[in-house]
Amino acid sequence: MRVVLVGAGGRMGRAVAQTLAGAEDVTLKARVERPEVAAPVDGGAPWGHDLGAFVARGDVVVEFSSPAAAAAAAAVCAECGAALVSGTTGLGDSEEEGLRAAARKTAIVRAANFSLGVLALRRALATALGAVPASWDVEIVERHHRGKQDAPSGTALQLAREAAERRGYPASALRMGRSGRVGARPDAEIGIHALRGGTWVGDHAVVLAGAGEWLELRHVAEDRTAFAHGVLAAARFVATAPPGFYTLDEVASAAAR
């Protein structure tokens, strides 16, 4: 399997490259970054700024870059016949639509978080919501390093949206933090709180609070290899998948068969 890595100079890009280097069935074909990012002097895979110059039919593109670069990578993959694993967060509606349009021509795995532990957290949350009374409140707290560009995290938003869907809440039920005299907490609300500082890799806690008791479900990523292993599983899946828009749930289900 030939992989072209977009965003190779970033934190996740470096972690993915390290993980791919230990996989016998994978060749890191090329690394793509913005022109202002200096190429490393490591003798590794070729380094450049133009994805189209490297990618070919049958390749797998892995991207952890920017919303605009994610949409551009999807368009290149659809045109060239390459598959895509996309992990950039903070995409707007137009960029998300760009990925879904490209998925009509090629296979794309899209996830806000590639940790298999976060996948387990999402499934545990669904079970817990079905077990506690509907009157219990849901709050989410996430922690990330001081350099993270978007807030709240894509994972926190995914957890909140899945909880809201299960509860039957509208999209407007999501509340990003609180400030001032906001009054009593409404019943149909899910609070999301983003902490930024230091070198936190990723920490997500979901609190279910009832009368006189509460339950916390929490996942902590100590190292970015926690995500990189999920990326490798997604790359192996998407390399042979037919055109379509896939999630990490489908990657995990296929691996379990």
Side-chain angles (χ1 to χ4, degrees):
M1 182 173 61
R2 303 181 307 273
V3 172
V4 178
L5 181 57
V6 178
R11 296 177 180 88
M12 268 306 303
R14 295 193 299 271
V16 169
Q18 180 181 354
T19 299
L20 295 181
E24 295 182 354
D25 60 331
V26 178
T27 297
L28 183 55
K29 179 181 178 181
R31 297 173 289 180
V32 178
E33 254 299 353
R34 303 184 310 276
E36 62 268 26
V37 178
V41 184
D42 58 9
W47 181 278
H49 313 304
D50 180 10
L51 174 60
F54 294 114
V55 70
R57 181 172 297 277
D59 291 345
V60 175
V61 174
V62 173
E63 74 82 21
F64 286 86
S65 50
S66 69
V76 171
C77 288
E79 181 179 352
C80 296
L84 175 64
V85 176
S86 174
T88 297
T89 58
L91 272 64
D93 292 342
S94 62
E95 292 141 348
E96 289 281 3
E97 177 53 37
L99 264 70
R100 291 188 177 275
R104 293 193 281 270
K105 296 182 179 179
T106 193
I108 294 178
V109 171
R110 171 100 182 111
N113 190 309
F114 280 89
S115 161
L116 300 179
V118 167
L119 177 60
L121 171 62
R122 290 172 46 223
R123 293 176 174 177
L125 175 58
T127 300
L129 286 170
V132 302
S135 61
W136 283 37
D137 300 320
V138 182
E139 296 280 312
I140 297 171
V141 180
E142 57 98 343
R143 301 171 175 86
H144 282 86
H145 58 90
R146 68 193 320 272
K148 185 169 175 59
Q149 298 296 303
D150 57 311
S153 70
T155 302
L157 287 171
Q158 182 177 25
L159 290 166
R161 287 165 180 157
E162 290 176 357
E165 182 178 1
R166 185 170 185 89
R167 282 280 179 87
Y169 295 169
S172 59
L174 274 59
R175 180 160 191 158
M176 313 304 173
R178 297 184 182 87
S179 178
R181 191 173 177 82
V182 297
R185 186 190 195 282
D187 291 334
E189 180 175 280
I190 297 178
I192 308 174
H193 313 278
L195 281 64
R196 294 290 177 269
T199 57
W200 284 315
V201 173
D203 184 336
H204 294 86
V206 183
V207 178
L208 306 179
E213 59 180 327
W214 60 279
L215 169 69
E216 180 175 324
L217 304 174
R218 185 178 181 189
H219 175 268
V220 177
E222 297 179 336
D223 188 276
R224 286 178 178 80
T225 55
F227 312 122
H229 290 302
V231 171
L232 179 56
R236 286 174 172 145
F237 169 87
V238 81
T240 57
F245 193 86
Y246 301 98
T247 67
L248 195 60
D249 298 79
E250 289 155 310
V251 173
S253 296
R257 290 199 291 267

